[in-house]
Amino acid sequence: MSLTIPSPDSAPTVDEAHRSYEVRTYGCQMNVHDSERLAGLLEEAGLVPSQDPDTEADVVVFNTCAVRENADNKLYGNLGRLAHVKEKRPGMQIAVGGCLAQKDRETILRKAPWVDVVFGTHNVGSLPTLLERARHNNEAQLEILESLDVFPSTLPTKRDSVYAGWVSISVGCNNTCTFCIVPSLRGKERDRRPGDILAEVQALVDDGAIEVTLLGQNVNSYGVEFGDRLAFGKLLRACGQIPGLERVRFTSPHPAAFTDDVIDAMAETPNVMPQLHMPLQSGSDRVLKDMRRSYRSKKFLGILDRVRQRMPEAAITTDIIVGFPGETEEDFQATLDVVERSRFSSAFTFQYSKRPGTPAAELADQLPKEVVQERYERLTALQDRICAEENARQLGREVEVMVTAQSGRKAEQTHRLSGRARDQRLVHFSVPDGAEAPRPGDLVSVTITEAAAFHLVADPTTAGEYHLRRSRAGDAWDRSQEESCGTGQGAAGLGVSLGMPALPPRR
């Protein structure tokens, strides 16, 4: 579907040689990865990342989510604010893409006619052309495709991190969960060939990355399209053969398709991390049936048991929806019981809200807001307690932490750096006096001295309690900083801003 709609007259006056961009991302890891593609496309077209947080970029791209509650309100609020900015900035352009754009289509241009481009999830690669067409024709451009145009992996990429990267192994989803609108927006599952995936992983490693996260709406169903139901476990083992790749993660699997060969591959491949995100959604078998989640609580708990038998140190996280239509107090108690047994290291908990276009939105017995809120508070209180208890078990344990560029909110006061342990737990650590400070991408081994619900602390008192391993990823960080200093761009730029939550959201 392609449509051209007139927009208000403007006279572009932006200096072509210095056009800047910013990509604002909302939603899941797939959206974050798509934003890296968008940034790469814009830079290939000659734009540079915005450097001034106090001044809007010449091109602002919203990569939207249709799953999160109030996603549309957030988008239109931001668009409304930018309308006044654009009035004073002739030549400024605004583009809206992602899942909400795929769903709302003409609605966006009707509510915000000052938007220049609306594009969908299947034609990310069209953005530069649509922006140029909108400038040339002085008309807003709407292009929504119903199926994938170009597999995103073939597009240029501006990676958000030099030491770690995302690699899509599939797009779309074949499941029909009644609360989820993703299949209608992203389409049926399309799998990449293993050789293409491994080539992209190798390219990331060659550029200095030591960690890769494999992405898919349902990663463990990978291979169904080309007839190999064991393909995902094979892919994990193949990643274990890539020299220099130290950490492999993946998200998100589906319990119904999670098989023992994947557990074996995780346990037997040293660079696959002992961490698993396994969405529960509900502990009630009746609610799971209404959700069209093709597993039950017994199967879910059995998966966790087998994972921990093979990897006792594994940290398991999850997603849970509270207040699905028709959920009774008995159903909710079943969820609390499964959460208590599962001992998740962290959980992303959500209050159910109607998503237009999903079957669940039409179900009877939509629960009152106050009932959902009360249950939500009980669930988060339980999970917060479990998080604190599970983190307390880490006290005295030596962990290897990959240092990240982001530090904690209190870093200026504590002088601590931050990173992720092999099991993905967040660790804030200090560097003893006289010891060498690490770079983002380097690895440090430290002993946990404090534990809170959502992070760990390591404060070594002597250099002997702190071990630094400089890495290829740290070298890549140094190179990126040198390039940044030379051009005013690079890792410190504002090209892609992320809307990913660092902690389980509280709504």
Side-chain angles (χ1 to χ4, degrees):
M1 174 179 178
S2 182
L3 182 66
T4 301
I5 298 176
S7 65
D9 291 341
S10 62
T13 59
V14 174
D15 184 349
E16 291 296 318
H18 299 93
R19 275 166 55 84
S20 61
Y21 77 89
E22 180 184 358
V23 182
R24 302 182 186 179
T25 310
Y26 305 99
C28 67
Q29 294 92 335
M30 296 295 288
N31 278 32
V32 174
H33 191 37
D34 283 347
S35 289
E36 293 182 332
R37 306 292 187 193
L38 293 169
L41 286 160
L42 293 171
E43 294 199 11
E44 185 178 64
L47 281 75
V48 299
S50 173
Q51 299 295 307
D52 187 350
D54 299 320
T55 302
E56 296 294 349
D58 300 315
V59 175
V60 178
V61 182
F62 292 90
N63 188 10
T64 64
C65 171
V67 175
R68 308 290 182 183
E69 186 176 6
N70 296 323
D72 50 353
N73 292 337
K74 180 180 291 186
L75 171 65
Y76 293 122
N78 284 318
L79 291 178
R81 186 181 64 80
L82 285 182
H84 303 293
V85 176
K86 191 174 181 183
E87 286 180 359
K88 303 173 184 178
R89 292 277 306 279
M92 179 185 181
Q93 291 187 290
I94 302 171
V96 180
C99 292
L100 194 63
Q102 186 81 20
K103 179 174 75 74
D104 282 1
R105 308 185 179 209
E106 296 94 339
T107 303
I108 293 173
L109 290 177
R110 187 176 70 248
K111 290 186 175 182
W114 54 91
V115 169
D116 298 275
V117 172
V118 177
F119 62 102
T121 58
H122 298 305
N123 59 321
V124 168
S126 300
L127 177 60
T129 299
L130 294 172
L131 286 168
E132 184 56 33
R133 190 186 301 163
R135 285 162 54 80
H136 182 271
N137 296 343
N138 197 29
E139 291 178 330
Q141 303 295 309
L142 167 63
E143 183 174 285
I144 304 291
L145 301 184
E146 300 302 331
S147 60
L148 200 62
D149 182 18
V150 176
F151 205 95
S153 60
T154 65
L155 302 174
T157 301
K158 169 67 180 296
R159 299 285 181 182
D160 182 56
S161 166
V162 297
Y163 45 83
W166 313 92
V167 174
S168 290
I169 69 171
S170 63
V171 294
C173 182
N174 294 335
N175 293 313
T176 58
C177 302
T178 56
F179 57 82
C180 184
I181 199 169
V182 168
S184 65
L185 301 180
R186 295 259 179 191
K188 292 293 185 180
E189 182 173 325
R190 293 276 306 278
D191 294 334
R192 294 175 67 190
R193 304 302 298 185
D196 294 338
I197 296 169
L198 294 172
E200 185 177 351
V201 173
Q202 184 66 63
L204 278 171
V205 173
D206 291 344
D207 284 342
I210 61 173
E211 177 176 295
V212 163
T213 300
L214 305 177
L215 288 181
Q217 299 296 153
N218 180 9
V219 291
N220 55 306
S221 68
Y222 171 74
V224 171
E225 187 182 23
F226 52 82
D228 185 354
R229 294 185 177 275
L230 302 180
F232 185 61
K234 295 176 183 176
L235 183 63
L236 291 178
R237 293 181 187 275
C239 286
Q241 301 301 311
I242 297 177
L245 179 58
E246 300 200 26
R247 295 186 171 195
V248 177
R249 305 186 191 277
F250 59 88
T251 194
S252 289
H254 192 293
F258 201 78
T259 50
D260 287 350
D261 67 290
V262 174
I263 299 174
D264 292 340
M266 292 176 66
E268 296 166 9
T269 309
N271 64 356
V272 175
M273 295 296 94
Q275 173 244 334
L276 178 65
H277 185 76
M278 183 64 68
L280 170 64
Q281 306 304 1
S282 174
S284 163
D285 289 350
R286 191 189 66 81
V287 172
L288 288 171
K289 181 179 179 181
D290 288 346
M291 289 179 166
R292 292 186 195 157
R293 301 285 288 179
S294 46
Y295 57 89
R296 300 295 178 257
S297 58
K298 181 178 180 180
K299 176 169 184 171
F300 183 91
L301 290 167
I303 292 171
L304 270 53
D305 288 343
R306 293 194 298 278
V307 168
R308 286 171 170 146
Q309 287 171 5
R310 297 299 313 272
M311 294 170 285
E313 75 281 20
I316 300 175
T317 58
T318 197
D319 297 327
I320 304 172
I321 296 173
V322 178
F324 188 80
E327 179 189 75
T328 65
E329 179 62 28
E330 182 181 7
D331 293 324
F332 178 66
Q333 183 60 51
T335 295
L336 297 179
D337 293 343
V338 172
V339 169
E340 185 74 68
R341 284 191 57 188
S342 297
R343 309 298 297 179
F344 298 117
S345 63
S346 181
F348 292 90
T349 51
F350 304 91
Q351 296 185 34
Y352 171 79
S353 61
K354 285 186 178 182
R355 309 313 298 155
T358 63
E362 306 301 321
L363 292 176
D365 300 325
Q366 302 283 331
L367 300 187
K369 170 65 176 177
E370 58 271 20
V371 172
V372 179
Q373 180 67 35
E374 189 274 336
R375 290 178 183 172
Y376 175 80
E377 291 173 0
R378 275 192 281 159
L379 173 63
T380 55
L382 170 62
Q383 183 56 49
D384 289 355
R385 171 179 65 78
I386 293 171
C387 286
E389 291 171 353
E390 291 301 303
N391 276 357
R393 295 175 57 190
Q394 309 301 310
L395 289 170
R397 177 185 172 198
E398 184 178 81
V399 297
E400 181 188 67
V401 177
M402 189 177 81
V403 184
T404 60
Q406 297 78 30
S407 296
R409 288 174 296 177
K410 299 180 180 179
E412 291 187 6
Q413 292 84 8
T414 63
H415 305 291
R416 294 186 181 115
L417 302 176
S418 300
R420 294 283 176 176
R422 287 171 56 85
D423 63 9
Q424 193 66 347
R425 284 185 167 92
L426 175 64
V427 180
H428 302 305
F429 67 94
S430 56
V431 178
D433 292 340
E436 182 181 3
R439 307 159 297 178
D442 283 340
L443 297 115
V444 298
S445 294
V446 289
T447 299
I448 301 303
T449 55
E450 297 179 33
F454 303 115
H455 67 268
L456 302 170
V457 174
D459 283 329
T461 56
T462 67
E465 298 173 345
Y466 164 89
H467 304 283
L468 166 65
R469 178 160 65 88
R470 292 170 64 88
S471 72
R472 297 167 43 260
D475 296 339
W477 172 264
D478 280 345
R479 290 194 299 272
S480 74
Q481 296 305 288
E482 291 170 2
E483 293 169 3
S484 175
C485 292
T487 65
Q489 304 169 29
L494 299 177
V496 180
S497 60
L498 305 183
M500 295 291 293
L503 296 175
R506 293 285 183 264
R507 292 200 178 107

